[in-house]
């Protein structure tokens, strides 16, 4: 591999890492136009293992807006990122995959649900905490606008829910 190809590969990996970070920030901040802009026109996502849907990025962003809108706090921690830029004859290619683990604590909007919940504070309402964890498989493609997602598959491994009341 030439020095120029190695430099390009490093720059691609950094851009893809930024793409994954932008994905987490868009979901956590509820930036649904920003979420949609991270995908190619034919980009798709599959959240079925976490009880969600599979579909095009536009359909998914509308579903996420409704589903995650019930949570006042969302924080995706995407770690252990394994980025693979596909190469062709030793030169960097235009596609990549990323396998990464996630931990996603969330808190619903609304008043505290019962004993053990945190007291309300100026930063937002308190309530029971949910934690979801698993693995993402991302696929990306180089476009004239930069790297964009062509696919996201969620593989939920575990979740922690607040105890049932009543």
């Amino acid at each position: 591999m030439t020095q120029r190809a190695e430099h390009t590969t490093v720059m691609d990996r950094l851009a893809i890492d930024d793409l994954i970070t932008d994905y987490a920030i868009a979901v956590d901040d509820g930036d649904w136009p920003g979420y949609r802009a991270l995908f190619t026109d034919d980009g798709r996502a599959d959240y079925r293992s976490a009880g969600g849907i599979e579909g095009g990025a536009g359909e998914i962003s509308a579903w996420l807006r409704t589903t995650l809108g019930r949570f006042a706090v969302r924080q995706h921690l995407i770690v252990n990122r394994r980025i693979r830029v596909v190469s062709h004859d030793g030169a960097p290619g235009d596609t990549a995959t990323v396998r990464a683990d996630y931990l996603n604590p969330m808190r619903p909007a609304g008043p505290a649900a019962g004993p053990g919940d945190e007291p309300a504070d100026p930063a937002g309402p308190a309530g029971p905490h949910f934690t979801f964890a698993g693995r993402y498989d991302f696929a990306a493609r180089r476009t004239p606008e930069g790297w964009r997602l062509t696919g996201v598959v969620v593989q939920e491994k575990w979740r922690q829910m607040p105890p049932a009341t009543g």
Side-chain angles (χ1 to χ4, degrees):
M1 185 179 282
T2 68
Q3 188 175 14
R4 182 178 304 248
E6 288 174 2
H7 179 265
T8 300
T9 299
V10 168
M11 297 306 293
D12 285 341
R13 290 176 56 88
L14 290 171
I16 293 163
D17 190 71
D18 281 350
L19 178 66
I20 303 308
T21 298
D22 290 345
Y23 169 91
I25 290 169
V27 171
D28 291 344
D29 290 352
D31 178 4
W32 307 121
Y35 174 91
R36 177 62 190 94
L38 298 172
F39 286 82
T40 59
D41 289 341
D42 61 345
R44 300 187 65 77
D46 183 348
Y47 291 88
R48 291 178 293 181
S49 79
I53 65 170
E54 186 273 335
E59 178 184 4
I60 294 294
S61 65
W63 173 77
L64 286 171
R65 175 191 308 265
T66 300
T67 302
L68 295 182
R70 297 182 293 225
F71 292 91
V73 176
R74 301 182 292 266
Q75 185 176 25
H76 282 75
L77 306 171
I78 301 179
V79 300
N80 300 334
R81 300 174 193 210
R82 178 170 285 159
I83 299 170
R84 303 275 192 233
V85 178
V86 177
S87 62
H88 299 285
D89 299 324
D94 293 331
T95 60
T97 61
V98 180
R99 175 164 273 188
D101 295 325
Y102 70 88
L103 180 68
N104 180 17
M106 298 194 300
R107 186 177 67 204
D117 290 334
E118 296 176 5
D121 65 61
H129 294 268
F130 295 74
T131 304
F132 304 89
R135 180 163 286 158
Y136 279 112
D137 283 310
F138 296 98
R141 180 170 64 228
R142 185 191 318 271
T143 72
E145 296 79 33
W147 285 93
R148 296 292 182 265
L149 296 170
T150 57
V152 175
V153 177
V154 174
Q155 300 167 12
E156 186 178 278
K157 292 184 175 186
W158 62 270
R159 65 174 58 184
Q160 182 178 357
M161 308 288 282
T165 59

